[in-house]
Amino acid sequence: MTKYPGPMGDLLVWAANAVHIRTSDYGTPMENHKRIADLWSAYFSGTKSDVRPHDVAIAMILAKIARLEQTPKHKDSWTDIAGYAAVGWEIVSTEEQDG
């Protein structure tokens, strides 16, 4: 595994740790995002009929981007974006394997 020095590397390590901790708190990314997608599907019924688990990761990234418009130096939002990108990729990879 390549290690990146400096702030970029620190942020990526912090994001990886946060995703790992959240997995123990909330279940696997697929399980957690499936629950969120089900709730969003009910909430958004009539506007978007099928919210998929990876849509949750995309929407959360957009939420973090919206927050960064107000506070661009908020490190947690940058870290969360990196984490949600990794989670989204894992979900898409899993969806492709499952069919």
Side-chain angles (χ1 to χ4, degrees):
M1 182 169 147
T2 303
K3 293 189 178 193
Y4 297 97
M8 181 176 64
D10 293 344
L11 186 132
L12 292 171
V13 168
W14 192 17
N17 289 333
V19 169
H20 177 71
I21 290 167
R22 298 222 182 13
T23 296
S24 65
D25 289 341
Y26 305 123
T28 68
M30 180 58 94
E31 293 166 341
N32 185 41
H33 283 67
K34 175 72 170 98
R35 285 191 300 271
I36 294 168
D38 289 345
L39 290 168
W40 285 8
S41 291
Y43 182 78
F44 291 118
S45 66
T47 58
K48 180 175 170 120
S49 62
D50 183 25
V51 178
R52 298 160 298 178
H54 70 266
D55 290 327
V56 174
I58 292 168
M60 294 305 293
I61 290 168
L62 293 172
K64 297 300 177 175
I65 289 169
R67 290 181 177 179
L68 285 170
E69 287 181 21
Q70 179 70 30
T71 53
K73 290 188 177 187
H74 194 258
K75 184 178 179 182
D76 286 348
S77 292
W78 289 107
T79 303
D80 289 346
I81 287 170
Y84 282 119
V87 163
W89 176 247
E90 179 177 317
I91 290 168
V92 169
S93 297
T94 301
E95 288 173 340
E96 289 174 357
Q97 292 172 3
D98 290 344

